[in-house]
Amino acid sequence: GYKLRYWYYKLILKKMGKNVLIEAGVFLNGTRNISLGDYVWIDGGCRIDAMLGEISIGKRVHVAPYSIIAAREPIIIEDYVGIASHVRIYSNSEVPLEGKRMSGPMIPEEHKAYYSKRIILEKDSFVGTGSVLLPGAYLGEGAVVGANSIVSKKINAYNIVVGPSARVIGKRKKVNVPEL
């Protein structure tokens, strides 16, 4: 199954690196806007939606089961990033704005109230189980987001954050192993 999925997605994705594993049950939407680096593993039940924006995933990244990555603005996931299960990454969100509607995709664009901003996960960052990254989230190199946290701002390199306000609780040591 892996080899068949690999060759199928290699034909339809914007970029497909070598030795990519895409499990059965993965939903990819907007495939021409999705780039995957070498040795990426996307676990079953994940949804990657790039119909309205680009998603770029670097090398040796794991996206664990049942995670969602949805882009209206670019989402850039650099090398060696870990995304735990049930993580949601959205570069677009409805917001109360100018008397417009917040009722979702079934209304015309000009009637929608939404906020969109690029999301970046720098090299060696990690997002814990059940966390949500909202428009404007930026994880510096090696940053860690604890389980069930919400991030909508910049997290400095190697900081460890937790909770609904992404409160800094510590620092992680710099990665010092060689590149693969």
Side-chain angles (χ1 to χ4, degrees):
Y2 284 116
K3 285 205 184 272
L4 284 174
R5 284 189 295 278
Y6 178 84
W7 290 109
Y8 170 72
Y9 286 121
K10 189 164 181 67
L11 292 173
I12 65 171
L13 291 178
K14 181 176 182 178
K15 178 185 175 253
M16 176 79 144
K18 65 182 180 186
N19 296 316
V20 172
L21 298 175
I22 300 175
E23 297 274 351
V26 170
F27 177 78
L28 301 178
N29 191 24
T31 53
R32 286 288 171 212
N33 290 328
I34 299 172
S35 299
L36 302 178
D38 298 339
Y39 298 96
V40 169
W41 179 6
I42 301 175
D43 253 318
C46 288
R47 179 182 178 97
I48 299 179
D49 190 343
M51 196 63 154
L52 300 174
E54 291 197 23
I55 297 173
S56 174
I57 299 177
K59 69 181 179 184
R60 297 194 183 267
V61 170
H62 177 228
V63 182
Y66 306 108
S67 291
I68 298 170
I69 303 171
R72 184 179 199 113
E73 291 293 323
I75 296 176
I76 301 162
I77 300 170
E78 295 183 357
D79 301 341
Y80 308 104
V81 170
I83 298 172
S85 63
H86 297 277
V87 166
R88 280 99 54 217
I89 301 173
Y90 301 111
S91 69
N92 183 67
S93 181
E94 276 82 13
V95 293
L97 182 68
E98 303 168 12
K100 293 190 175 185
R101 288 187 168 40
M102 296 175 61
S103 51
M106 301 310 290
I107 58 172
E109 288 294 307
E110 64 271 12
H111 294 227
K112 292 180 184 179
Y114 61 86
Y115 173 71
S116 299
K117 196 166 183 185
R118 174 178 24 193
I119 293 178
I120 298 174
L121 284 68
E122 286 189 0
K123 181 177 164 185
D124 289 310
S125 58
F126 178 81
V127 185
T129 300
S131 293
V132 179
L133 275 57
L134 295 171
Y138 188 111
L139 304 185
E141 182 175 334
V144 175
V145 176
N148 296 312
S149 297
I150 300 172
V151 179
S152 61
K153 62 186 179 183
K154 182 174 183 178
I155 306 302
N156 291 327
Y158 295 99
N159 276 357
I160 301 169
V161 300
V162 298
S165 62
R167 180 176 49 90
V168 177
I169 62 164
K171 277 198 101 70
R172 165 185 181 193
K173 292 198 184 283
K174 287 188 175 184
V175 173
N176 61 11
V177 294
E179 296 277 325
L180 298 172

